[in-house]
Amino acid sequence: MNKVILMGRLTRDPEVRYSQGERSMAIARYTLAVDRRGRRGQEGSEQNADFIPCVAFDRAGEFAEKYFRQGMRVLISGRIQTGSYTNKDGQRVYTTEVIIEDQEFADSKNSSGGDGGYQPMSRPAPTSAIGDGFMNIPDGVDDEGLPFN
């Protein structure tokens, strides 16, 4: 089984390109900075995060382009894919990246400090509460329709 789940912060805005052909498809690439668990180095000079390259295709790529911004904390799941190519100097270069199957926000808009993205709906505060903590039933509401007596 090849399954990976990561939560981290975007190191920069996603880079999005569109494929050519009969059906154009978004391909979004971004890097997640994922904190390592465990003890930190005593001098603080040790790297305490891994920088994981991620790729989102089609609708997931369009979503990343529209809503994801640098510094946002996101949660992704997908699979690890490895590959290789020969660079212009003739050297073999090996790659590893996460192919995203699912992605979502891990923070609200306010806690991530971003100017775009998801913000959960807040529940309105009761406007007319009696001293015992219960709301008054507004006029015009039939008592018979309530689920309790």
Side-chain angles (χ1 to χ4, degrees):
M1 177 187 294
N2 182 354
K3 184 77 169 177
V4 63
I5 300 171
L6 299 170
M7 182 168 54
R9 294 198 180 272
L10 277 78
T11 60
R12 61 180 180 191
D13 291 355
E15 177 185 309
V16 182
R17 295 186 178 164
Y18 286 84
S19 65
Q20 302 296 317
E22 187 177 317
R23 185 181 171 283
S24 177
M25 175 175 44
I27 303 167
R29 294 183 178 274
Y30 56 85
T31 301
L32 280 186
V34 179
D35 288 333
R36 290 184 182 169
R37 281 192 162 175
R39 222 170 55 190
R40 293 184 182 210
Q42 292 178 351
E43 297 180 25
S45 61
E46 290 183 32
Q47 178 182 346
N48 56 12
D50 292 302
F51 297 89
I52 314 291
C54 304
V55 183
F57 293 97
D58 208 15
R59 291 189 159 216
E62 292 170 2
F63 183 88
E65 178 181 35
K66 186 173 182 180
Y67 296 108
F68 286 0
R69 297 290 173 257
Q70 178 179 351
M72 288 180 129
R73 191 164 68 154
V74 297
L75 177 67
I76 66 162
S77 64
R79 60 185 167 82
I80 293 179
Q81 180 172 294
T82 60
S84 65
Y85 64 92
T86 304
N87 68 11
K88 62 183 177 182
D89 299 328
Q91 297 175 331
R92 196 77 163 156
V93 178
Y94 295 93
T95 62
T96 302
E97 56 194 8
V98 175
I99 305 301
I100 295 171
E101 296 167 357
D102 190 35
Q103 59 189 358
E104 58 189 72
F105 301 99
D107 278 334
S108 68
K109 175 182 170 184
N110 293 336
S111 62
S112 67
D115 59 353
Y118 170 78
Q119 181 170 351
M121 293 178 57
S122 60
R123 184 177 209 154
T127 55
S128 58
I130 306 175
D132 59 3
F134 290 98
M135 287 182 61
N136 288 322
I137 299 173
D139 293 335
V141 173
D142 183 17
D143 290 343
E144 299 296 320
L146 295 176
F148 48 85
N149 291 331

